Amino acid sequence: MAFSSLFRKKTVEDILRQVEKNETDGHNTLGRYLTARDLTAFGIAAIVGAGIFSTIGKASSDGGPAVIFLFIFTALACSFAAFAYAEFASMVPVSGSAYTYSYVAFGELIAWIIGWALIMEYAIGNVTVAISWSDYFTGLLESGGIHLPQWVQMDYLSASNGFNDATALMEGGKSFENLSSSMQAAYVAWTTSPSIGSFHFVADLPALFIIILITTLVYRGMKESRNASNMMVVVKLSIILLVIAVGVFYVDTENWTPFAPNGVSGVLKGVSAVFFAYIGFDAISTTAEECKNPQRDLPRGMMWAIIICTILYVIIALVLTGMVNYSELNVGDPLAFVFHKLNLKWMSGIIAVSAVVAMASVLLVFQMGQPRIWMSMSRDGLLPKRFSKVHPKFKTPSYATIVTGFVVAIPALFLNLTIVTDLCSIGTLFAFVLVCAGVLVLQDKPNIPRGKFKTPYVNAKYVVPFMLIVGLYYAFAYNNKATMDFITNETQIYKATDIITSLNKEETKKVYDYLVGIEAKNNTNEVLDLENLLSQYQQDDAKYASVVAGLPIDNKLKYESGFSLFKHKIPMWIFLLALVALTFWSFRKNLSLIPLLGLVSCLYMMAELSVWNWIYFTIWLLIGLIIYFGFSRKNSKLNLMKS
């Protein structure tokens, strides 16, 4: 089989003929009844879920009130990508989303890769929603006097890591009562859990429960109708507006100072959490077959959903960071947390109930979407035929639905919220990058049938090079030290908490005695634990550097350098090299600006994710390639047609 066969493409005509064949085979398409208003409601229903009820807390704790700028930037990036999705949906008005679009633009191998990445988006995204649902559900039970053991409401990884960090901090003199609530919970979960040898049985059983329940409903054919979707949006928006209306009276503007406590790096640290808040708008593209006028209504629905949700996210972020200090918001249920902290327990209860309903409905939407992606890939021969099997009674992709349940349920028991959020974000961003690139690849090809909607064309030939030059000027003129540190891989000092949690008992005692000696010289009689002793110097970079330099421990525990430091910069170097290549491409080919900006901004957000997410994502793609070359390539319908 020739190398060129890896990039064999489906034509728009082939896809439309496939739709007709599916109808004759019993794969009936849905009726066209959705309008722009329905699509907007559907987008809000999908977007307003774990993002606003959970991950917004982590982003706010990292970036402070300035996280609102990250929401705005992410919304712009999603808007650029939405144009590309809308253009493809107009060109190929069938289900399949980015997988189908890539089959037309790039060919089979890339389509497989994007389909495999979409599995990560939907399945891992549902793991995140299930974990967030569990946080709110257990909080709701506790407010009603029902207390579940800690080891059945926390994932294994959080409990293990939290126990190790808590132990290190307590060895440094910190009392258990002074640990953060999340660290206390992890410590209790680990120490009270049943164990076999060194293995502790810690698993998020409420997350497992909701996944089983939702999978059962999806298997039996339950689907959200237009009216149910609209009703869900009304409930969600009512609760959010209530939170804003009540919370605004408890805002203390002093909590907004400093506005960006951790600088630009702190704001950008929340990229995955903030981007995760927008995941869902692309689900609108899967409804292309159900739209009355997809060419007109799809772009409108996507844009209105993004605009409305961005306004809500910005206001909610300002209210949350105004009600309590940003540093306290790194919790699984930030909205309920702030009202509980201010003794407004009735509001906390309302939020918990609404979050449980809202996130369960989001879980339902995406738990239905995942099997249908697999069904599309199976119909093309890229997955075994049983994945496209439709239940004779319930009319659902039954086998794919059951497999989806397992794929979501097992990781939900053991992975923590941060890991799955990042994995979901990188998979989705990768899909957005390829969809935007697809529009650029097809922009000048004359043999491609065009839909009624086309992304407005602005020539990027001179705009992108100009933007690159401005960016370089800013980096070297106004941010020279950070830029040069990045380029030269300048040694970095670890944060206080990172240093302390990496010490053994002997090293902990040495560091404690050294810092107490400094306090004695400063005539300070206050007795502090090790974390506070070292953390108090972080406000003054020069002083902190001086104190760390004198710590009686190995430099490897104090500084990060060499490849250990460089590996974290690899994603950003990939972005920078890609940016240069895209600038050259845009200059030569007069590329369209909007999809190019979508590609660049989504690739930038990928670069802000940790190198470990890139590694995990690469491993995921390699597994997918093994399956493709072992099964999909020879069983592809396009291969069978040519043979």
Side-chain angles (χ1 to χ4, degrees), residues 233-350:
V233 169
V234 170
V235 172
K236 291 180 180 182
L237 293 184
S238 297
I239 298 300
I240 292 169
L241 292 175
L242 178 62
V243 168
I244 294 171
V246 174
V248 73
F249 291 102
Y250 293 87
V251 168
D252 181 356
T253 54
E254 298 227 341
N255 286 326
W256 290 340
T257 304
F259 198 72
N262 298 315
V264 175
S265 61
V267 173
L268 294 176
K269 191 177 179 183
V271 161
S272 64
V274 168
F275 179 75
F276 182 79
Y278 285 94
I279 290 177
F281 89 85
D282 59 318
I284 300 176
S285 67
T286 65
T287 66
E289 290 183 46
E290 304 162 71
C291 300
K292 290 182 178 179
N293 189 341
Q295 291 89 346
R296 181 195 67 191
D297 294 341
L298 270 170
R300 291 183 181 181
M302 288 183 183
M303 291 304 172
W304 276 115
I306 292 172
I307 291 170
I308 292 171
C309 290
T310 300
I311 294 171
L312 291 175
Y313 283 147
V314 168
I315 296 175
I316 284 287
L318 287 174
V319 169
L320 285 180
T321 54
M323 292 175 71
V324 300
N325 187 274
Y326 72 93
S327 61
E328 300 181 61
L329 289 172
N330 189 12
V331 294
D333 51 352
L335 268 67
F337 168 79
V338 294
F339 284 101
H340 188 274
K341 184 175 177 64
L342 296 173
N343 292 320
L344 297 173
K345 295 184 179 179
W346 62 275
M347 273 295 296
S348 182
I350 291 175

Side-chain angles (χ1 to χ4, degrees), residues 96-115:
S97 188
Y99 161 73
T100 302
Y101 307 157
S102 296
Y103 223 142
V104 173
F106 301 109
E108 185 171 281
L109 179 61
I110 304 301
W112 167 265
I113 291 173
I114 201 65

Side-chain angles (χ1 to χ4, degrees), residues 166 224 349 410 524:
E224 287 186 324
I410 294 173
T524 303

Side-chain angles (χ1 to χ4, degrees), residues 14-29:
D14 288 338
I15 294 172
L16 295 177
R17 278 196 297 269
Q18 181 71 42
V19 173
E20 294 178 6
K21 185 177 183 300
N22 290 340
E23 291 181 0
T24 60
D25 289 345
H27 301 301
N28 296 318
T29 56

